[in-house]
Amino acid sequence: MNINHNFQNVADSYLFSTIAKKVAEYQQENPKADIIRLGIGDVTMPLVPAVIEALHGAVDEMGKKETFHGYGPEQGYGFLKEALKGYYAQRGIELDGDEIFVSDGAKSDVGNILNLFSQDNTVLVPDPVYPVYVDTNIMDGRKILYMNANADNGFLPLPDPAVKADLIYLCSPNNPTGAVYSHAQLKQWVDYANENHAVILFDAAYEAFVGDKSLPRSIFEIDGARTCAIEFCSLSKTAGFTGTRCGYTVVPFDLESDGVKLNKMWLRRQTTKFNGVPYIVQKGAAAVFSDEGQKQIHQVIGYYKQNAKVIADALKELGVWFTGGEHSPYIWLQCPNGMASWDFFDLLLKEGNVVGTPGAGFGKNGEGFFRLTAFNDLENTRKAVERIKKVLSSL
Ligand code: MLT
């Protein structure tokens, strides 16, 4: 038996597992420490009433022979795909229901989609970057090229015609920086991908946080994207489904290579390796897209954005450079006094009992930066901000 030796090239532990372990160790050594978590992007507000009502209804259905559901369609129930079609149509994007695949979240699909691509492909990722894009490709042994995202380009790198890649990862609003691409910038990426027969793997997990109507929330708002892009989205941050698990992936019929449709390949992959999202969860997910559900989830998103403003206002007051937090739950700040990001992580944990995410965990350009999330509650966010102020003013 031979193992996949590519695993020897990935870091020993996934970024957020490393952080969770460090925090758990600190908590064990300091059982009285009241730790506030602004690290992993996990939500704290409960599911909205429209979702809860739908979940209850679905549970009841599962308890009666006439309405019980066993295996469902691997690619998702029609009722949820119709709701998603409607959600896209509101933004002028016409999708066929069979272009939408319901999943258990964007993270799994972002990794699983690689089944469709040869290991010979070259991958282009921004740096800093959500570590899943990098780690999953290292596990497969693909060559990875990095493009610099930094303060000079607003953490929004654009295509370099001299660089040739087959798979391009874009995330907008961006994790970890919170930066958002404009239509014109995404158009440059779509043109580059079509010219180079490349595929854009577009992570739209944070689209619901975009408040400015002039900014794109889907790659399919861009002309030409149907022949070069796959979009991943998730209800985790949109509707508090981090623990409930539901997302969706859009693979357009027009996307093909060597005369083979990627939609057909993905359907084949999903029907073989995935048994679908539970009926109960899909019922809850569909309720997110009802009028009432949309009103309710946007109240929660507004609440998180208020937390982001609390953090942003404090950083402004302290004169700390930062970006994000406006159309995103993430605030990306510069560590004080040129401090390395893991050092700042340790300092904040020990002196302030506040957890954030070290920028270096997202790539070399993340060194010297730090990410805070707005997903805790307002009271904890205010408390954390006071503690951060105290730590910074003691330096
Ligand atoms: C993050 O903190 O970057 C996210 O929670 C990770 C994820 O969604 O998997």
Side-chain angles (χ1 to χ4, degrees):
M1 183 277 283
N2 280 324
I3 56 159
N4 175 356
H5 286 283
N6 294 314
F7 272 69
Q8 278 149 341
N9 300 324
V10 279
D12 262 359
S13 153
Y14 178 56
L15 172 66
F16 293 104
S17 315
T18 307
I19 293 172
K21 189 163 169 271
K22 271 179 171 269
V23 174
E25 278 165 12
Y26 180 80
Q27 183 80 79
Q28 203 166 17
E29 287 158 19
N30 303 274
K32 291 214 174 93
D34 166 29
I35 297 174
I36 301 177
R37 287 168 171 79
L38 305 184
I40 191 166
D42 195 4
V43 294
T44 53
M45 290 296 125
L47 296 171
V48 298
V51 170
I52 293 296
E53 195 185 322
L55 291 173
H56 278 304
V59 169
D60 289 344
E61 283 184 67
M62 292 299 273
K64 293 186 212 113
K65 191 163 188 308
E66 311 74 58
T67 48
F68 168 77
H69 286 77
Y71 287 129
E74 292 88 347
Q75 60 274 39
Y77 282 100
F79 63 80
L80 178 52
K81 297 207 294 179
E82 278 306 306
L84 287 164
K85 242 177 88 169
Y87 185 58
Y88 274 92
Q90 284 163 10
R91 284 170 274 161
I93 301 166
E94 295 302 327
L95 295 178
D96 188 286
D98 289 341
E99 294 179 311
I100 303 171
F101 296 81
V102 175
S103 73
D104 65 346
K107 180 179 171 182
S108 333
D109 273 13
V110 160
N112 293 336
I113 201 81
L114 293 174
N115 258 190
L116 272 47
F117 302 104
S118 158
Q119 273 148 299
D120 301 338
N121 285 315
T122 298
V123 177
L124 185 60
V125 295
D127 174 353
V129 66
Y130 177 44
V132 171
Y133 312 155
V134 171
D135 290 358
T136 51
N137 277 291
I138 295 178
M139 288 172 186
D140 280 2
R142 275 187 206 88
K143 179 176 172 193
I144 302 176
L145 303 175
Y146 294 88
M147 45 185 165
N148 289 323
N150 49 38
D152 293 340
N153 58 23
F155 289 96
L156 295 167
L158 291 171
D160 174 351
V163 174
K164 301 290 172 214
D166 305 299
L167 304 176
I168 304 155
Y169 286 85
L170 298 178
C171 175
S172 180
N174 188 263
N175 178 13
T177 67
V180 190
Y181 277 114
S182 67
H183 280 90
Q185 289 170 323
L186 284 185
K187 178 69 178 144
Q188 289 190 45
W189 275 115
V190 165
D191 290 347
Y192 168 92
N194 278 322
E195 277 157 28
N196 290 283
H197 306 291
V199 173
I200 296 174
L201 301 173
F202 190 80
D203 185 347
Y206 301 93
E207 59 83 21
F209 284 78
V210 174
D212 178 344
K213 286 199 167 30
S214 72
L215 290 170
R217 285 164 44 206
S218 164
I219 191 74
F220 298 116
E221 290 179 39
I222 313 300
D223 265 355
R226 286 186 56 88
T227 50
C228 69
I230 292 175
E231 180 159 291
F232 306 89
C233 203
S234 156
L235 299 190
S236 286
K237 323 295 157 117
T238 303
F241 272 56
T242 50
T244 310
R245 307 307 310 154
C246 194
Y248 48 95
T249 293
V250 178
V251 188
F253 292 144
D254 303 347
L255 182 61
E256 51 180 72
S257 179
D258 299 330
V260 180
K261 288 194 183 303
L262 272 70
N263 179 288
K264 196 169 167 222
M265 289 173 76
W266 185 240
L267 178 64
R268 187 70 178 84
R269 192 266 172 211
Q270 290 299 79
T271 47
T272 308
K273 295 196 184 183
F274 183 56
N275 254 339
V277 174
Y279 173 77
I280 296 167
V281 172
Q282 292 194 52
K283 275 294 197 184
V288 168
F289 301 98
S290 66
D291 290 346
E292 201 49 39
Q294 283 290 297
K295 224 188 287 160
Q296 293 171 359
I297 62 139
H298 278 287
Q299 271 165 11
V300 179
I301 289 172
Y303 173 87
Y304 291 135
K305 282 191 175 179
Q306 192 191 343
N307 293 347
K309 190 171 177 316
V310 168
I311 300 172
D313 287 348
L315 295 176
K316 276 185 207 154
E317 199 185 310
L318 290 160
V320 173
W321 185 95
F322 72 93
T323 179
E326 203 183 340
H327 303 294
S328 143
Y330 297 129
I331 295 202
W332 181 248
L333 60 111
Q334 194 148 35
C335 300
N337 304 344
M339 200 179 268
S341 24
W342 278 106
D343 292 344
F344 188 54
F345 172 87
D346 288 334
L347 178 80
L348 217 52
L349 177 60
K350 287 177 188 148
E351 302 303 322
N353 290 171
V354 173
V355 181
T357 308
F362 298 102
K364 79 170 171 36
N365 287 340
E367 182 53 283
F369 290 90
F370 200 73
R371 195 194 75 177
L372 294 173
T373 88
F375 282 129
N376 212 309
D377 61 35
L378 183 57
E379 195 189 336
N380 274 337
T381 304
R382 285 199 175 120
K383 248 204 271 182
V385 156
E386 286 315 308
R387 296 185 194 175
I388 293 170
K389 277 188 187 167
K390 217 163 136 194
V391 171
L392 290 189
S393 50
S394 73
L395 293 175

